Amino acid sequence: MTPDLHNELTARKAELLSFLKGTSLATGAQPPTVKRVPRAGELSLSFAQMRLWLLNELERGSVAYNLPSLVHLRGNLDLAALDCSLSEIVRRHEILRTYYSSAGGHPVPMIASPEPFQVSVVDLQGLSEAAREKEAARLALVDARQPFDLGKAPLIRATLLKLAAEEQVLLLNVHHIAFDGWSHGVFLKELSVLYKAFLQGQASPLPDLPIQYADFAAWQREWLQGDVLKRQLDYWKERLSGSLPVLELPTDHPRPPAQTYNGETVSFVFSKTLTDALKSLSQREDVTLFVTLLAAFKVLLLRYTGQVDMLVGTPIANRNRAEIEGLIGFFVNTLAMRTDLSGNPTFRELMQRVKDTALGAYAHQDLPFEKLVEELNPKRDISRSPIFQVMLSFLSPAQPLELPGLEPSRLEFHGEGAQFDLSLYLGETGQGVTGWFSYNTDLFGKGTIERMVEHYRTLLEGITARPESKLSELPLLTLPERHRMLVEWNDTRVDYPEDVLLHQLFEAQAERTPGAVVLAGPSLTQASTSQASWTYAELNQRANALAHYLQTLGVGPDVLVAVCMERTVEMVVGLLAVLKAGGAYVPLDPAYPRERLAFILEDTQVPVVLTQQRIAPFLPGYHGRVVCLDDPNLQVEIQKLTGDDFRFSSNSGDASHLAYVLYTSGSTGKPKGVEICHRAVVNFLSSMRAAPGMAAQDTLLSVTTPSFDIFGLEIWLPLTTGAKVVIAPEEVTRDGRELAALMRQSGATVMQATPSTWRLLLESGWEGNRHLKILCGGEAWPPQLAEQLLPKCASLWNMYGPTETTIWSTLHRVTRADAAVPIGRPIANTQVYVLDGRRQLVPAGVVGELYIGGSGLARGYFARPELTAERFVESPFAANARLYRTGDRARWLPDGTLECLGRVDQQVKIRGFRIEPGEVEAALARHPAVGQCVVVARDDARGEKILA
Ligand code: AMP
Ligand code: MG
C-alpha cells in the first residue's frame, strides 16, 4: 500500500468513526457480527444478489453484469501452478462455486463441491505480431460477451491467450452475483500468494475463511428487518424526499424512449501537480480526496445543467465489518449522494456540504440500494435509470499482482455497456488521479465526452488555484475553446459601405439599371384588380417627388413617419420617400387592432402618417398630418415637385440616423419601438447578397406584412441588387392555392416566409419549384418541415433573428432533414455568444442564452431608456460594445453552428407574431370561445379577425 493510499484510507475511516460516534447506529443498535450458518438448510441470497438474479431472469443472455478483466503477463508462466492457484481460490470461496437452482421461480443458492479448475489456453503463437494482438483483442471481447448460466457453477472462467513463449494475456471473467471491485483485489492478492507457494511446491499459506458469503447473506436478511431496517429506510426516505431531480444533461442525440445500455469510454490522466494540489486542498479542508472530486463533479454537472438539486450515485465497497474484508462476493452497494448546490456557495463551502452528504450516506450504507428503490417506488420513467442518472466511482487502488518470474501489467478494459447516462470512474495511481468516463452512446458523441474531460480538468485546476471562488466563477472552458467561441466562430468581419444610406444603395442601382422592372403588384391608383409594374427609374422618380413633398412637411433626419398602408406598390414609394426625405418610417399594419394603432401613434408622436383614403378614417384619435397617397389632389401637388435626378440631393442625414422604427410586442403588453439605423440595414443587405444571395435576374415574391421587420429583406434586397419584387396581395398570402399559383405566375426565384406560410403552401398541395430559393425563419421550424421542403426547392435556408438586431442575425443552409435544423452562424459583422445567467460563456453543447452583438444592433427602444438598458447590455468581451439579450435558449454545436431551443421566458410566436406571456392570457381571456386560437390581429376596416 502506498503511503498516500494509506493516508486516504485512514482519513476516510477516521471521518466515518467520528461520525458514527454521534449516531444511534453506533450507540444503540450495533449490528451483530456475521456468524456461520449451517450449510444443511436452505441458503439465502443477499438483497443485491436477488436483484441480479431477477434481472438475469428477465434478460437471459445479458452480459451487463459480467465483470471481465485482463492481465498481461510477460515471462515464463507455470500453467500448472496457475491452475492450482485458481482451483484453490475457487475452493476457498464458496461463492465462486455457488449456483442458483430455480425452484418455481424462486432462486436457491447451492454450493457445488470443489473441483480442479482449469484455465483454457488459446495458442496464438502461430500468428504474426500484428495479427496476434488483433486476435487477442477480439477474443477478449468475445469472452466478455459470453453470458454466464447462473444455474451452473463455477461463475468464474479464465482463459490464457498464449502470444509468445514468454508473453501471455490472462482473461478473467466473473459474474457480478459472485464478485465486485473489492473482490478483485482479494482475488489478485490470493493469486499472488498461492502461485508463489505452489511454484515452490509448498502448501497454501492462506488461513481458511471462518465465514463465507452465504453467511453474510443470511446475516443481512436476519439483521435488516424491523427497527433496524426502518431506521435506515427513514434516513434515506428523508434524504430523497420531495420530487427527485432528473438530471437533464444536454445530449447530442434525442433520448431513446426506453433506456439503452450501449456504452463507450474516454480515459484520462490528471497530472501529478494537479493531483498533489487536490490532495493538499482536501487535507486543508479536512475532507477526503473523494469528497473533493465528487464536489467538483457536482459543479461540472451544475454548470452543464443549471440544476442545483444534485443527485449522483456512488458505489460503496460496503466492507465495513472486519469479518467480511477478506471475502470474495457481491457486497458493493450504491449510495445516492444528494447535495443542495443552491445559493452559489464558494467551492470550500460546497466541500463541507458534500462531506456532510457523504458522511450521512456512509453511516446508512447498509441499506441495499435495491431495497431503497423498492421502498421509494419512484414514478418510473423507462427512458432513464431510477433515482439518479449519473454515477461517480472512486476506485480503490489496484491490488498489485506479484507473480515470481512474471511481469504482470493490468490492461485497461472497461467493458462495453453503460448502466447510466454517464459514469465517472476515478482512481489514484503513481501517475496521479486517472480515470475514465463511461457514457451512453445513444445520448452522447465521443467529442462531447472528450470536451467534458477537459472541462473537468479546467474546473479542478480552477478549484485548486482559488477554492474560495463561488461556483459560478470557477473556470470551465479551456483556452482553445474560449478562442473558438470568441474569435473563430465569430470571425465575421467583412467590409461594407458603412457610410452609405439605405436609399442611396437603391439610387445607385436605379442609375445602373433604370429600365429594368423593379416592382410589380397591386396599385392604389388603378382598379383594384389591376397590377402596376414599374421600372427602377419610375419608382425612383415617384419616390423623389414624394420625398420633396415630405420635406415641405418638416420630415428630416430622425423624424418618424408612420406608413399605414395595404401591400401595394405605393406603399413602397412611401417607404422610399420617407428615407429620401431623411426620415425614418414606422410601418403600421392596417389590420392591427385599434388600440395598438392608437398606442403607436401616441407613443411616437409622428408628425405625418402616410396612408390611403380607405384607411384614413380609421386612424384612431390622430391629430397630425394625414397624407393619402391615393388622394387625387395630392397627386397634383406632388407632380409639380418631380425631380429627374436619380440621387435625391437634399440633406438626408448620415448612416447613423434611423431608417425605421418597428414596433414589436412588449413584456408589459405595451408594444415597443425598435430603432434601426441605416448602417445596420446596409450591413445586413451586403451580407444577404453574399448568402443566401440575390442577383439582378432574381424575382422575389413578397408575402410578409410590412409590420414584420423581415419585410425589409423582401423590399430592400431586390431593390438594391437590380432584381425584381412582386408584391403578393394580402388575401393571396392567406390562401395556399392562390399563393402557389402566384408563385408560378410571377416566376419567383426567391421567397421568404415564416414556417407557418410554408406549411400553408405544403398543405395546399404546392408542388415546389426547383429554381426556388427558400428563406424560412421567424420562428422555430416544426418537425418534418425540412424534410418536406428540401426536395421542393433549389436551396433551403433557416433564417434567425430578432427585430432588435436587424432582420436576420444568423443563417443556415439546410441540407439534411435527419436532425434538428440549426440556426447556423452569424452573418457579416455580427457576433453571437451563448452565455449563462452570469454572462459567462458556456461550453459547446450546453444550453445558455443567446446574445448578439455587432453592426445589426438597434440603437435601442424608442423613448424607453430603462428597457433599452435592460436588453442591450455591455459586452463582457469587448470594450465599448453592446450585446442584445435575445431571451432565446441556444447552444453551440461542435461544428460551430448554433441551435435555438426555445425561449428563456414564456414568449411564444404565433404566425410570426411575438406574444408575451401576459398577452397570451389576455388574448385568451378576451376570447375564451376560441379555445386554442388567439386573436393576433384584427382588421377593423374589413371587420375581420385574424386567428392563429
Ligand atoms: P422577431 O423580433 O419578431 O423577429 O422575433 C424574434 C424571435 O423569433 C427570436 O428571438 C426567436 O425567438 C424567434 N425566431 C426567429 N427566427 C427563428 C428561427 N429561425 N428559429 C427559431 N426561432 C426563431
Ligand atoms: Mg426577425
Side-chain angles (χ1 to χ4, degrees):
M1 199 185 282
T2 64
D4 285 346
L5 169 66
H6 183 78
N7 289 343
E8 167 77 11
L9 286 183
T10 319
R12 266 220 241 179
K13 231 177 204 165
E15 227 171 48
L16 190 57
L17 283 178
S18 74
F19 186 82
L20 287 178
K21 273 187 202 131
T23 66
S24 61
L25 258 184
T27 49
Q30 205 39 290
T33 47
V34 183
K35 299 214 182 66
R36 193 171 166 85
V37 296
R39 292 294 181 267
E42 187 171 301
L43 299 174
S44 324
L45 274 79
S46 68
F47 290 105
Q49 281 188 307
M50 188 67 182
R51 174 176 60 102
L52 276 200
W53 186 85
L54 286 171
L55 281 174
N56 196 68
E57 283 294 288
L58 288 176
E59 244 188 289
R60 290 247 172 193
S62 160
V63 293
Y65 294 95
N66 281 7
L67 299 178
S69 61
L70 291 182
V71 196
H72 185 261
L73 299 166
R74 194 175 290 282
N76 205 349
L77 179 80
D78 185 324
L79 194 56
L82 181 64
D83 277 344
C84 286
S85 305
L86 293 179
S87 302
E88 174 57 12
I89 291 174
V90 175
R91 188 200 65 78
R92 285 170 56 74
H93 296 275
E94 286 175 357
I95 189 69
L96 293 176
R97 47 192 167 86
T98 300
Y99 61 99
Y100 305 85
S101 82
S102 151
H106 170 74
V108 182
M110 313 285 274
I111 302 170
S113 32
E115 305 229 356
F117 184 93
Q118 266 195 346
V119 176
S120 4
V121 180
V122 181
D123 194 346
L124 302 177
Q125 293 175 93
L127 300 175
S128 72
E129 193 173 334
R132 232 162 36 211
E133 306 243 307
K134 244 177 111 179
E135 183 60 4
R138 192 189 68 82
L139 289 173
L141 266 185
V142 168
D143 183 67
R145 289 175 183 163
Q146 181 69 38
F148 282 96
D149 176 355
L150 296 188
K152 283 204 186 99
L155 292 178
I156 175 172
R157 61 176 179 252
T159 307
L160 191 77
L161 308 179
K162 193 89 190 137
L163 303 183
E166 302 222 328
E167 188 184 1
Q168 45 265 311
V169 170
L170 180 63
L171 305 181
L172 194 71
N173 207 337
V174 196
H175 195 274
H176 199 2
I177 203 164
F179 213 66
D180 60 10
W182 185 292
S183 304
H184 197 246
V186 173
F187 178 89
L188 294 179
K189 194 167 132 198
E190 296 196 349
L191 179 58
S192 304
V193 173
L194 294 170
Y195 183 82
K196 184 174 171 205
F198 295 157
L199 209 55
Q200 297 166 357
Q202 296 165 357
S204 160
L206 296 174
D208 260 350
L209 297 164
I211 56 156
Q212 295 273 347
Y213 189 84
D215 304 310
F216 164 78
W219 170 90
Q220 187 192 47
R221 293 271 170 190
E222 173 82 26
W223 179 60
L224 264 185
Q225 292 188 31
D227 271 2
V228 174
L229 178 63
K230 186 171 174 307
R231 256 201 309 279
Q232 293 255 342
L233 270 176
D234 285 350
Y235 171 82
W236 285 108
K237 278 186 178 165
E238 203 265 313
R239 290 296 304 164
L240 303 178
S241 63
S243 60
L244 285 179
V246 174
L247 192 69
E248 297 286 359
L249 279 175
T251 61
D252 296 316
H253 314 296
R255 181 176 291 274
Q259 191 188 353
T260 61
Y261 300 92
N262 303 313
E264 265 294 342
T265 58
V266 172
S267 308
F268 55 84
V269 178
F270 292 152
S271 71
K272 192 92 182 65
T273 319
L274 177 57
T275 303
D276 289 345
L278 285 167
K279 286 205 289 202
S280 66
L281 170 65
S282 308
Q283 232 160 42
R284 277 203 310 278
E285 297 300 318
D286 193 26
V287 303
T288 55
L289 179 60
F290 167 75
V291 162
T292 305
L293 291 167
L294 175 61
F297 186 46
K298 290 194 177 212
V299 176
L300 181 76
L301 298 173
L302 163 74
R303 296 281 293 271
Y304 264 63
T305 62
Q307 291 174 267
V308 290
D309 184 0
M310 189 59 70
L311 242 172
V312 172
T314 188
I316 177 118
N318 202 18
R319 304 279 185 142
N320 51 351
R321 266 163 255 290
E323 63 270 31
I324 57 179
E325 275 180 5
L327 294 184
I328 283 176
F330 180 13
F331 292 89
V332 65
N333 193 16
T334 307
L335 301 177
M337 302 279 204
R338 188 181 196 180
T339 314
D340 174 15
L341 308 185
S342 65
N344 194 24
T346 65
F347 187 75
R348 284 169 57 181
E349 283 165 41
L350 179 67
M351 289 166 89
Q352 297 309 319
R353 287 190 201 177
V354 174
K355 179 178 173 181
D356 291 346
T357 306
L359 288 179
Y362 294 157
H364 299 87
Q365 61 176 290
D366 291 307
L367 183 72
F369 187 67
E370 28 285 310
K371 194 93 192 127
L372 178 63
V373 177
E374 192 186 302
E375 281 292 327
L376 286 179
N377 192 17
K379 217 167 67 208
R380 234 3 257 280
D381 166 0
I382 60 160
S383 69
R384 300 166 203 263
S385 53
I387 316 261
F388 60 82
Q389 291 76 46
V390 168
M391 178 103 171
L392 183 145
S393 305
F394 194 79
L395 306 169
S396 30
Q399 172 71 36
L401 178 60
E402 285 160 8
L403 304 175
L406 285 163
E407 228 182 275
S409 54
R410 216 168 141 179
L411 299 180
E412 269 199 30
F413 191 63
H414 308 318
E416 292 189 298
Q419 265 178 279
F420 300 95
D421 286 4
L422 186 70
S423 304
L424 171 58
Y425 293 85
L426 291 168
E428 215 198 321
T429 66
Q431 296 166 277
V433 169
T434 67
W436 69 91
F437 275 99
S438 155
Y439 60 97
N440 185 314
T441 47
D442 294 317
L443 300 177
F444 305 105
K446 198 179 190 84
T448 296
I449 305 300
E450 282 167 349
R451 280 189 300 278
M452 193 179 283
V453 169
E454 292 317 307
H455 296 150
Y456 191 46
R457 188 199 309 273
T458 309
L459 192 62
L460 289 170
E461 282 164 356
I463 282 163
T464 54
R466 292 195 46 214
E468 64 285 358
S469 303
K470 304 241 180 217
L471 302 191
S472 66
E473 295 161 353
L474 288 165
L476 203 59
L477 296 188
T478 60
L479 286 177
E481 208 170 5
R482 272 184 81 79
H483 188 259
R484 259 198 305 281
M485 288 177 175
L486 291 180
V487 181
E488 285 169 39
W489 291 346
N490 275 314
D491 183 12
T492 56
R493 166 104 202 91
V494 178
D495 282 338
Y496 70 100
E498 285 176 53
D499 297 320
V500 175
L501 285 80
L502 170 53
H503 54 277
Q504 290 171 343
L505 285 180
F506 166 73
E507 289 167 348
Q509 185 59 47
E511 228 173 320
R512 284 194 293 272
T513 55
V517 172
V518 63
L519 186 60
S523 166
L524 288 179
T525 51
Q526 301 174 17
S528 65
T529 48
S530 56
Q531 301 279 308
S533 179
W534 293 342
T535 62
Y536 274 85
E538 280 174 284
L539 174 59
N540 192 47
Q541 191 194 345
R542 284 169 201 263
N544 280 348
L546 181 58
H548 281 298
Y549 179 72
L550 290 176
Q551 284 192 331
T552 67
L553 302 181
V555 176
D558 281 359
V559 174
L560 306 189
V561 177
V563 179
C564 186
M565 297 180 70
E566 290 171 292
R567 300 163 42 74
T568 56
V569 289
E570 283 79 9
M571 181 189 64
V572 180
V573 174
L575 300 177
L576 199 49
V578 172
L579 297 180
K580 283 180 180 249
Y585 60 84
V586 182
L588 296 181
D589 191 331
Y592 273 164
R594 265 169 172 278
E595 321 85 79
R596 189 175 171 101
L597 287 179
F599 174 84
I600 298 175
L601 291 173
E602 171 65 27
D603 198 40
T604 49
Q605 293 288 315
V606 283
V608 181
V609 176
L610 296 185
T611 183
Q612 57 197 77
Q613 287 180 314
R614 202 166 67 80
I615 293 169
F618 297 97
L619 292 176
Y622 178 66
H623 304 297
R625 182 69 179 249
V626 175
V627 177
C628 292
L629 293 195
D630 52 352
D631 178 353
N633 297 331
L634 176 73
Q635 294 307 318
V636 177
E637 279 293 293
I638 285 181
Q639 249 136 49
K640 294 187 206 148
L641 298 169
T642 302
D644 293 331
D645 290 340
F646 279 109
R647 293 178 192 264
F648 192 87
S649 50
S650 312
N651 167 32
S652 54
D654 64 45
S656 68
H657 283 112
L658 296 180
Y660 62 81
V661 172
L662 201 134
Y663 274 76
T664 74
S665 72
S667 46
T668 56
K670 268 191 199 170
K672 55 202 192 234
V674 180
E675 304 170 314
I676 301 292
C677 68
H678 282 264
R679 187 170 289 140
V681 189
V682 169
N683 174 61
F684 168 76
L685 294 173
S686 336
S687 186
M688 290 301 109
R689 256 196 299 282
M694 166 123 347
Q697 57 276 13
D698 275 318
T699 296
L700 182 145
L701 181 62
S702 162
V703 298
T704 308
T705 151
S707 59
F708 282 174
D709 69 334
I710 65 174
F711 177 74
L713 178 145
E714 297 181 345
I715 298 300
W716 304 123
L717 188 56
L719 258 62
T720 55
T721 311
K724 175 181 167 188
V725 188
V726 175
I727 296 183
E730 168 73 32
E731 42 317 333
V732 171
T733 63
R734 279 184 268 132
D735 182 313
R737 278 163 184 278
E738 283 193 45
L739 184 55
L742 182 56
M743 287 170 80
R744 264 193 307 278
Q745 210 182 66
S746 62
T749 56
V750 183
M751 191 171 115
Q752 167 193 267
T754 58
S756 335
T757 301
W758 290 111
R759 270 242 295 253
L760 183 76
L761 266 170
L762 289 166
E763 281 159 14
S764 73
W766 174 63
E767 281 171 353
N769 165 0
R770 58 192 180 80
H771 301 296
L772 185 69
K773 188 175 284 180
I774 291 183
L775 316 188
C776 176
E779 58 196 35
W781 290 35
Q784 270 106 50
L785 185 63
E787 192 183 323
Q788 292 165 342
L789 286 177
L790 260 180
K792 289 191 155 57
C793 60
S795 69
L796 178 62
W797 299 76
N798 184 12
M799 315 296 286
Y800 163 88
T803 306
E804 285 84 343
T805 54
T806 311
I807 309 181
W808 303 125
S809 297
T810 73
L811 54 82
H812 178 75
R813 172 144 187 203
V814 183
T815 51
R816 40 189 287 199
D818 57 344
V821 179
I823 57 168
R825 299 166 196 274
I827 68 163
N829 303 306
T830 298
Q831 291 83 43
V832 289
Y833 305 100
V834 181
L835 307 182
D836 65 16
R838 285 158 205 274
R839 304 220 177 114
Q840 306 174 99
L841 294 172
V842 301
V846 173
V847 181
E849 183 174 351
L850 185 62
Y851 285 68
I852 303 178
S855 303
L857 250 64
R859 199 189 267 181
Y861 295 113
F862 181 79
R864 304 281 293 275
E866 326 76 47
L867 189 61
T868 303
E870 190 188 312
R871 306 300 302 186
F872 294 83
V873 301
E874 221 176 278
S875 168
F877 310 114
N880 299 321
R882 294 179 310 150
L883 298 179
Y884 172 66
R885 285 173 61 184
T886 64
D888 288 318
R889 299 171 69 243
R891 64 174 183 175
W892 284 109
L893 299 175
D895 65 353
T897 60
L898 284 166
E899 192 177 24
C900 183
L901 297 146
R903 296 284 305 172
V904 170
D905 52 33
Q906 300 292 306
Q907 189 187 89
V908 290
K909 292 201 99 180
I910 300 179
R911 282 206 175 174
F913 283 85
R914 283 196 210 172
I915 301 194
E916 309 275 347
E919 294 177 318
V920 178
E921 273 168 29
L924 284 170
R926 266 185 276 132
H927 307 277
V930 299
Q932 288 208 309
C933 298
V934 290
V935 176
V936 292
R938 205 165 54 214
D939 186 339
D940 283 350
R942 288 182 219 130
E944 256 175 51
K945 283 174 183 163
I946 300 174
L947 297 180

